[in-house]
């Protein structure tokens, strides 16, 4: 047991030197554990109907790229979404957690590839979404502050959250 | 511990056996089923991942012009090459005189390549004006060409030709990034945007919102100075057969939070270059130090910016003597070298959302002061127009976050010949 502990010590330190470019910061499991601690999440098989897609696009003023939803449900009625948006040239993969009342619990950036705009990972920036519901404007320069150097990534992630909350309100809300 | 490892190994063996196509029978236990469902969920997840990536990269390819490299499968992988660019056109109508002018101010392309998860290449090429030739003004320049290796978020190393991290504009100078048709005077004359040097830099982020960038690079050669109205700018070498007897160091620290940026930087190095371009500068240090502090505050739709920059050139009288000797030999007009130069501005804008468009009226007040080393006996005098203040009022109209139409009016306090209305368009992608 002593030997086992000695090996994991430096291994954990080395993993702190994770790569900056094209990095995976959190796996889906880790994000689920961070956003829904102690809860079990069940993968949902959901596909949006064409009517739902139209309604989401009208509500969020943002295009829906895929009819497939990557969403998990918790036993407390919350939802965990995984989605991807473009930063400037590369994709950002993020997770959005919504509680049983449809309010955002948190956002985690899972993968970030670009050299610039990484400020979207800033915890204070992501914390702005906590408590927001489908009713909020969720627009940069309005209720969501931008962060210098990440104009496009902040805009695209904000738009994606707006779209996912519209999906919740139109397709998932009980 | 041993028991747990053993039962875990058994479970793995069982689950892998079931996951790979084994059938469910009456002998199948609940544990087996749990393992089978878990494995199938994982496979479903993997398939969904790949479907999402495929759909995203398909719509990404529809949107961007980025080419797919020859050795990557068309539909699955995002391209390792990136192409970007920006450009601006400007029209100026002068209040006094017949100098009205229209110009394709610049046309820029960015090329980047990702070698692997740690190593990437970034570059920027600029064409100034519509035609660049030996008979026309303007240049084609490589503004950036550097490799960047990432060890971690906190520790990255870059080497090559890169932008010096001072000011608000120098590193982020695309047209949609600033208000007004032309870049402000302080960040043109005092901080010589677009300022780049060749060398080595270490950069990264730490804490929650802090970023740093420090390095060793080429510097200026004061023997090449030919226009004191732009401070030290004309002494830049742009990594073109740069004299490197004297190198420079720089450091920058910035803090970012939602709606807030505060930071500053400093650059310092000798510019005498051991007399490489002007023998009278041998044994003259002519140390040039330039520093700035800046802030940007964006509460809701407001966007406020402020910046102060200050520079100094030591041994200015010896620089004068050297430049005077060269002017006499080349039969050009001599001038007094800048010895202290500073400038500041404050700017406020209001971003009004109009559907998909944004209208942003703004006002800016700026001052610059380039103090020259006078040598009255030799006719080297302070040019009074090298100290001025400018009021700019106008609007940026974004038809897309990356495309902007601009209109502004600029009033110079002293140099009223420069008073003008400007109209411009700019884009970036």
């Amino acid at each position: 047991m002593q030997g086992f502990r000695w090996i994991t010590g430096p291994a954990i330190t080395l993993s702190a030197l994770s790569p900056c470019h094209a990095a995976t910061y959190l796996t889906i499991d880790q994000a689920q554990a961070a956003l829904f601690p102690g809860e079990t999440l069940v993968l949902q098989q959901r596909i949006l109907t064409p009517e739902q897609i139209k309604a989401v696009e009208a509500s969020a003023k943002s295009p829906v790229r895929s009819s497939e939803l990557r969403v998990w449900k918790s036993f407390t009625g919350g939802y965990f979404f995984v989605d991807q948006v473009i930063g400037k040239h590369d994709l950002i993969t993020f997770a959005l957690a919504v509680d049983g009342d449809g309010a955002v619990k948190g956002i985690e950036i899972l993968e970030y590839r670009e050299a610039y705009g990484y400020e979207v990972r800033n915890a204070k920036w992501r914390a702005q979404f906590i408590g927001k519901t489908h009713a909020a404007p969720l627009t940069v320069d309005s209720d969501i502050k931008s962060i210098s150097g990440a104009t496009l990534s902040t805009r695209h992630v904000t738009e994606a959250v707006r779209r996912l909350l519209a999906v919740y309100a139109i397709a998932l809300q009980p | 511990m041993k028991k747990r490892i053993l039962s875990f190994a058994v479970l793995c063996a069982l689950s892998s056996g079931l996951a790979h196509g084994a059938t469910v029978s009456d002998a199948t236990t609940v544990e087996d089923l749990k393992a089978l469902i878990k494995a199938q969920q994982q496979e479903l997840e993997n398939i969904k991942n790949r479907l999402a990536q495929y759909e995203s990269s398909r719509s990404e390819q529809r949107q961007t012009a980025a080419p797919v490299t020859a050795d990557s499968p068309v539909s699955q992988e995002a391209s390792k090459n990136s192409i970007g660019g920006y450009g601006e056109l400007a029209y100026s109508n002068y209040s006094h005189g017949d100098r009205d002018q229209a110009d394709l101010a610049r046309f820029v392309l960015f090329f980047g390549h990702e070698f692997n998860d740690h190593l990437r290449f970034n570059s920027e090429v600029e064409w100034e004006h519509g035609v660049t030739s030996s008979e026309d003004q303007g240049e084609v320049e490589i503004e950036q060409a550097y490799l960047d290796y990432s060890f971690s978020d906190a520790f990255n190393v870059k080497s090559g030709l890169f932008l010096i991290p001072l000011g608000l504009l120098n590193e982020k100078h695309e047209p949609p990034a600033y208000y007004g048709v032309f870049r402000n005077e302080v960040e043109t004359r005092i901080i010589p945007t677009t300022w780049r040097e060749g060398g080595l830099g270490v950069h990264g982020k730490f804490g929650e919102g802090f970023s740093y960038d420090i390095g060793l690079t080429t510097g200026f050669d004061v023997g090449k100075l030919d226009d004191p109205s732009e401070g030290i700018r004309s002494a830049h070498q742009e990594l073109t057969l740069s004299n490197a007897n004297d190198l420079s160091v720089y450091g920058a620290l910035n803090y970012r939070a939602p709606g807030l940026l505060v930071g500053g930087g400093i650059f310092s190095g000798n510019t005498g270059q051991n007399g490489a371009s002007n023998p009278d500068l041998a044994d003259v240090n002519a140390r040039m130090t330039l520093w700035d502090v800046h802030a940007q505050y964006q509460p809701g739709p407001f966007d406020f910016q402020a910046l102060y920059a200050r520079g100094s050139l030591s041994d200015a009288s010896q620089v004068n003597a050297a430049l005077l000797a060269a002017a006499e030999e080349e039969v050009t007009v001599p001038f007094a070298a800048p010895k202290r130069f500073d400038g500041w501005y404050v700017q406020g804008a209001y971003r009004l959302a109009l559907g998909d468009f944004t209208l942003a009226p703004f006002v800016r007040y700026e001052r610059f002061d380039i103090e020259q080393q006078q040598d009255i006996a030799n006719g080297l005098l302070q040019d009074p127009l090298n100290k001025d203040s400018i009021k700019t009022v106008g609007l940026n109209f974004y038809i897309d976050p990356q495309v902007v139409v601009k209109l502004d009016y600029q009033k110079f306090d002293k140099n009223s010949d420069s008073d003008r209305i400007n109209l411009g368009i700019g884009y970036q992608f």
Side-chain angles (χ1 to χ4, degrees):
Chain A
M1 204 53 187
Q2 290 281 29
F4 180 73
R5 232 185 250 137
W6 180 82
I7 288 166
T8 53
I12 287 163
T13 320
L14 276 174
S15 73
L17 292 177
S18 52
C20 172
H21 304 158
T24 298
Y25 290 99
L26 285 177
T27 62
I28 290 177
D29 283 338
Q30 288 170 332
Q32 288 181 342
L35 293 168
F36 287 94
E39 294 187 51
T40 312
L41 297 172
V42 178
L43 183 60
Q44 308 287 294
Q45 316 292 340
R46 291 295 184 110
I47 297 183
L48 294 173
T49 66
E51 295 79 34
Q52 286 173 329
I53 291 177
K54 272 213 197 81
V56 166
E57 287 183 344
S59 168
K61 296 194 185 44
S62 164
V64 172
R65 299 244 152 88
S66 165
S67 55
E68 281 247 15
L69 286 183
R70 292 171 67 200
V71 63
W72 287 251
K73 189 172 177 180
S74 81
F75 287 112
T76 54
Y79 285 92
F80 176 91
F81 297 90
V82 172
D83 201 356
Q84 283 181 318
V85 289
I86 294 211
K88 188 162 183 193
H89 295 126
D90 296 314
L91 292 173
I92 304 171
T93 310
F94 71 96
L96 172 72
V98 174
D99 68 19
D101 298 317
V104 174
K105 281 176 66 115
I107 295 183
E108 292 289 343
I109 306 294
L110 303 182
E111 280 173 24
Y112 194 87
R113 299 185 68 87
E114 303 215 55
Y116 304 103
Y118 53 75
E119 293 86 357
V120 79
R121 290 187 54 231
N122 183 300
K124 290 198 203 83
W125 186 79
R126 291 182 287 117
Q128 293 181 93
F129 292 93
I130 294 174
K132 298 271 179 194
T133 64
H134 170 57
L138 285 166
T139 315
V140 173
D141 290 342
S142 171
D143 58 330
I144 300 294
K145 289 194 178 61
S146 180
I147 191 159
S148 174
T151 330
L152 288 175
S153 347
T154 53
R155 193 173 284 267
H156 295 156
V157 171
T158 304
E159 192 181 304
V161 173
R162 201 165 70 226
R163 177 169 36 81
L164 289 174
L165 285 176
V167 166
Y168 170 83
I170 288 162
L172 299 172
Q173 191 170 14
Chain B
M1 185 68 178
K2 247 195 187 164
K3 230 195 233 172
R4 243 189 273 152
I5 293 175
L6 186 62
S7 54
F8 181 68
V10 168
L11 189 63
C12 279
L14 279 175
S15 63
S16 61
L18 276 172
H20 289 99
T23 51
V24 172
S25 74
D26 288 339
T28 312
T29 65
V30 172
E31 286 305 317
D32 297 341
L33 289 177
K34 279 190 188 170
L36 175 62
I37 290 172
K38 195 165 198 291
Q40 285 180 338
Q41 271 185 340
Q42 184 58 51
E43 224 178 295
L44 192 65
E45 192 48 35
N46 290 342
I47 293 172
K48 276 184 153 188
N49 257 354
R50 286 181 55 192
L51 179 65
Q53 259 182 18
Y54 171 62
E55 278 181 327
S56 290
S57 72
R58 265 188 56 209
S59 64
E60 185 197 348
Q61 276 171 18
R62 257 188 271 122
Q63 276 187 357
T64 72
V68 178
T69 56
D71 53 6
S72 72
V74 176
S75 57
Q76 240 93 64
E77 235 178 65
S79 173
K80 301 221 172 220
N81 292 327
S82 61
I83 290 184
Y86 73 86
E88 40 192 283
L89 284 85
Y91 163 73
S92 297
N93 183 305
Y94 286 84
S95 308
H96 313 288
D98 290 319
R99 295 197 290 138
D100 295 353
Q101 186 181 80
D103 183 37
L104 172 63
R106 47 183 61 85
F107 177 88
V108 178
L109 290 176
F110 294 106
F111 299 98
H113 181 76
E114 216 178 282
F115 293 94
N116 56 53
D117 279 356
H118 301 268
L119 181 62
R120 60 176 73 201
F121 169 72
N122 290 320
S123 69
E124 179 179 352
V125 185
E126 169 168 319
W127 283 259
E128 287 181 342
H129 312 306
V131 177
T132 305
S133 75
S134 53
E135 281 108 38
D136 293 286
Q137 232 182 339
E139 306 169 316
V140 179
E141 15 194 27
I142 313 296
E143 296 206 329
Q144 299 184 74
Y146 68 93
L147 292 159
D148 194 286
Y149 193 92
S150 181
F151 292 93
S152 71
D153 281 354
F155 187 70
N156 304 267
V157 178
K158 61 184 173 182
S159 183
L161 177 64
F162 52 83
L163 299 172
I164 297 298
L166 258 67
L168 286 166
L169 269 192
N170 201 49
E171 283 184 294
K172 199 159 167 50
H173 46 263
E174 300 86 0
Y178 64 92
Y179 296 100
V181 176
F182 294 110
R183 299 166 181 178
N184 68 78
E185 299 286 330
V186 177
E187 292 193 87
T188 306
R189 298 181 196 239
I190 310 299
I191 299 177
T193 305
T194 314
W195 177 17
R196 62 268 186 195
E197 301 285 355
L200 184 76
V202 175
H203 64 105
K205 49 193 186 89
F206 62 96
E208 193 62 60
F210 288 97
S211 60
Y212 75 93
D213 189 347
I214 58 176
L216 175 72
T217 63
T218 52
F220 294 84
D221 180 347
V222 76
K224 296 179 182 173
L225 195 74
D226 65 14
D227 183 0
S229 74
E230 296 199 307
I232 198 69
R233 186 190 187 90
S234 60
H236 65 187
Q237 302 200 75
E238 300 172 303
L239 206 63
T240 301
L241 302 172
S242 300
N243 289 318
N245 293 317
D246 289 318
L247 297 179
S248 294
V249 291
Y250 74 86
L253 182 67
N254 282 279
Y255 172 72
R256 285 176 177 82
L260 179 68
L261 164 67
V262 175
I266 185 163
F267 179 95
S268 183
N270 288 341
T271 64
Q273 301 295 348
N274 269 12
S277 61
N278 182 323
D280 292 327
L281 289 172
D283 301 325
V284 178
N285 284 338
R287 174 166 282 268
M288 202 292 292
T289 300
L290 179 60
W291 59 268
D292 92 287
V293 287
H294 51 260
Q296 181 173 19
Y297 178 51
Q298 297 169 291
F302 289 98
D303 188 352
F304 299 113
Q305 289 174 24
L307 177 146
Y308 177 78
R310 185 179 183 89
S312 62
L313 182 68
S314 71
D315 304 323
S317 8
Q318 287 165 282
V319 172
N320 266 353
L323 293 178
L324 183 62
E328 279 167 3
E329 216 184 286
E330 289 153 28
V331 196
T332 54
V333 180
F335 57 86
K339 66 172 170 185
R340 257 186 306 275
F341 34 100
D342 71 356
W344 59 268
Y345 68 85
V346 288
Q347 178 176 268
Y350 182 86
R351 302 175 72 93
L352 179 68
L354 298 170
D356 287 338
F357 307 141
T358 302
L359 181 66
F362 73 94
V363 291
R364 177 173 68 239
Y365 179 78
E366 49 186 312
R367 284 178 93 99
F368 66 87
D369 182 358
I370 298 170
E371 190 187 331
Q372 292 164 273
Q373 177 70 36
Q374 294 207 101
D375 179 0
I376 300 173
N378 281 309
L380 307 180
L381 305 171
Q382 170 75 46
D383 184 341
L385 294 179
N386 286 347
K387 175 176 178 148
D388 210 342
S389 66
I390 306 115
K391 297 186 188 79
T392 307
V393 59
L395 45 92
N396 277 14
F397 181 61
Y398 299 87
I399 57 183
D400 177 274
Q402 300 195 89
V403 180
V404 62
V405 178
K406 301 178 176 184
L407 174 66
D408 67 61
Y409 170 62
Q410 297 191 287
K411 174 112 187 54
F412 285 67
D413 188 39
K414 287 231 192 74
N415 190 6
S416 52
D417 276 353
S418 292
D419 292 352
R420 60 196 171 185
I421 292 176
N422 302 307
L423 181 64
I425 58 177
Y427 66 87
Q428 72 173 57
F429 61 87

